[in-house]
Amino acid sequence: MASVIDIRGLALTYERDGRRTEVLRGLDLSIEPGEFVAIVGESGVGKSTLLRVLIGLAEPSAGTVTVRPSPGREAGRLPPMALVFQDSRLLPWRRVIANVGFGLEWHGVAAAERKRRAQAMLDLVRLGDLAGRWPHQLSGGQRQRVSLARALAVEPDVLLMDEPFSALDSMTREGLQDELLRIRRETGRTILFVTHDIDEAVYLTDRVIVLTGRPAGIGADVRVGIPQPRRRRDPALAEIGRALRAELSQLSSEL
């Protein structure tokens, strides 16, 4: 099966005020259709930067990034990837349903179809009855659900998520983790999920990629190997988490 994302020799260097900063170097990574993959690593290592390269918000200095849209996706109409940020970034002057339809509007989808898809995605994230509210009337967890619905509305082949639950309290975060697993089961989406929380990565995903170094490369690629649904307090998950922390600590000490 062909990879949906294939990265080879990726490098990224910033130049600012006459100084060059190399963020990524020699990064090779393939993501298969339907995979749920986490990217972990220390703060500032380049996890979010990698997503920015994939979505086209940053230009690589070297290497190649190949994204293979699913068969039947109309070239140039809707993007094959969508990004969910750490903060919801909802437009305060638009009601919830108009926020969800914003990406579709940007790509020229007709009003009736925008409304239909936006309502369907709100139903999917279990906020269908809040379509007419304003963003300030929502809780933090609800705003993140709306952000997720907005990304899903464009029917992306790959959902990119940049620490989407890190600003939430632990109870809300765990609830949204389980909601994301449900949505993944129902949609079959490929997901690339950046997090600083190794327990979150191990609980949610099929594979955990460890970014390490300055500039960063892939230090480890670990398959979780425990079938879904998982038990949050499963000792086997905890052991994988401990091994990953030890691996990350060892890699950091070798720099």
Side-chain angles (χ1 to χ4, degrees), residues 32 44 50 58 60 75 78 82 84 96 99 104 107 112 125 131 137 192 210 223-224 230 246 250:
E32 303 303 316
L50 176 57
L78 291 173
V84 178
V96 164
N99 266 284
L104 296 170
H107 289 281
V125 301
Q137 296 175 311
L192 191 56
V210 179
R223 291 199 174 272
V224 176
R230 296 171 183 162
Q250 178 65 29

Side-chain angles (χ1 to χ4, degrees), residues 12 26 34 45 47 61 65 101 103 118 125 128 131 141 147 162 169 177 180 183 185 205 218 236 252:
L12 180 69
V45 77
K47 304 184 298 295
S61 307
V65 176
V125 301
S147 179
D162 190 3
D169 65 83
Q177 289 169 356
L180 180 60
I183 289 166
R185 287 194 302 271
T205 68
I218 294 177
S252 298

Side-chain angles (χ1 to χ4, degrees), residues 141 145 165 168-179 232-233:
R145 288 181 192 232
F165 309 144
L168 303 173
D169 65 83
S170 60
M171 185 175 296
T172 302
R173 183 166 62 247
E174 289 186 1
L176 283 178
Q177 289 169 356
D178 290 334
E179 282 296 288
R232 193 176 293 277
R233 315 302 177 205

Side-chain angles (χ1 to χ4, degrees), residues 2-250:
S3 303
V4 65
I5 296 175
D6 195 39
I7 300 168
R8 289 291 171 261
L10 180 66
L12 180 69
T13 301
Y14 287 124
E15 188 160 347
R16 186 174 299 158
D17 300 327
R19 298 182 59 183
R20 290 169 58 84
T21 301
E22 194 175 7
V23 181
L24 303 171
R25 179 195 291 173
L27 198 149
D28 296 330
L29 178 63
S30 292
I31 308 294
E32 303 303 316
E35 272 198 299
F36 193 164
V37 179
I39 305 289
V40 303
E42 296 178 336
S43 295
V45 77
K47 304 184 298 295
S48 298
T49 299
L50 176 57
L51 295 194
R52 288 174 60 83
V53 170
L54 290 175
I55 202 74
L57 297 176
E59 187 72 24
S61 307
T64 61
V65 176
T66 303
V67 180
R68 298 181 178 91
S70 59
R73 177 172 288 276
E74 187 178 345
R77 278 292 289 165
L78 291 173
M81 292 185 285
L83 177 59
V84 178
F85 295 93
Q86 180 176 347
D87 53 80
S88 62
R89 303 197 180 188
L90 302 183
L91 302 175
W93 58 87
R94 283 178 171 246
R95 294 185 188 271
V96 164
I97 194 165
N99 266 284
V100 174
F102 179 71
L104 296 170
E105 182 179 341
W106 182 260
H107 289 281
V109 176
E113 177 64 9
R114 287 202 309 270
K115 185 176 181 180
R116 184 195 68 78
R117 281 207 222 174
Q119 185 62 56
M121 292 304 101
L122 284 171
D123 292 341
L124 179 64
V125 301
R126 296 178 173 168
L127 290 180
D129 57 341
L130 303 186
R133 289 196 181 179
W134 300 99
H136 74 269
Q137 296 175 311
L138 305 179
S139 68
Q142 288 170 338
R143 286 193 291 271
Q144 281 303 91
R145 288 181 192 232
V146 174
S147 179
L148 176 57
R150 179 176 58 193
L152 290 169
V154 301
E155 300 178 346
D157 295 322
V158 182
L159 187 62
L160 306 176
M161 306 190 75
D162 190 3
E163 301 199 49
F165 309 144
S166 62
L168 303 173
D169 65 83
S170 60
M171 185 175 296
T172 302
R173 183 166 62 247
E174 289 186 1
L176 283 178
Q177 289 169 356
D178 290 334
E179 282 296 288
L180 180 60
L181 288 172
R182 175 187 62 82
I183 289 166
R184 189 244 180 155
R185 287 194 302 271
E186 292 183 14
T187 66
R189 288 282 178 264
T190 304
I191 303 175
L192 191 56
F193 188 98
V194 162
T195 179
H196 64 273
D197 185 333
I198 287 178
D199 291 331
E200 179 175 62
V202 170
Y203 177 66
L204 289 176
T205 68
D206 306 318
R207 274 167 77 198
V208 181
I209 307 296
V210 179
L211 281 191
T212 188
R214 296 288 194 277
I218 294 177
D221 184 340
V222 177
R223 291 199 174 272
V224 176
I226 297 176
Q228 296 280 7
R230 296 171 183 162
R231 291 182 295 113
R232 193 176 293 277
R233 315 302 177 205
D234 187 340
L237 286 180
E239 181 55 38
I240 294 170
R242 281 192 292 271
L244 270 169
R245 288 187 185 87
E247 180 92 18
L248 186 55
S249 177
Q250 178 65 29

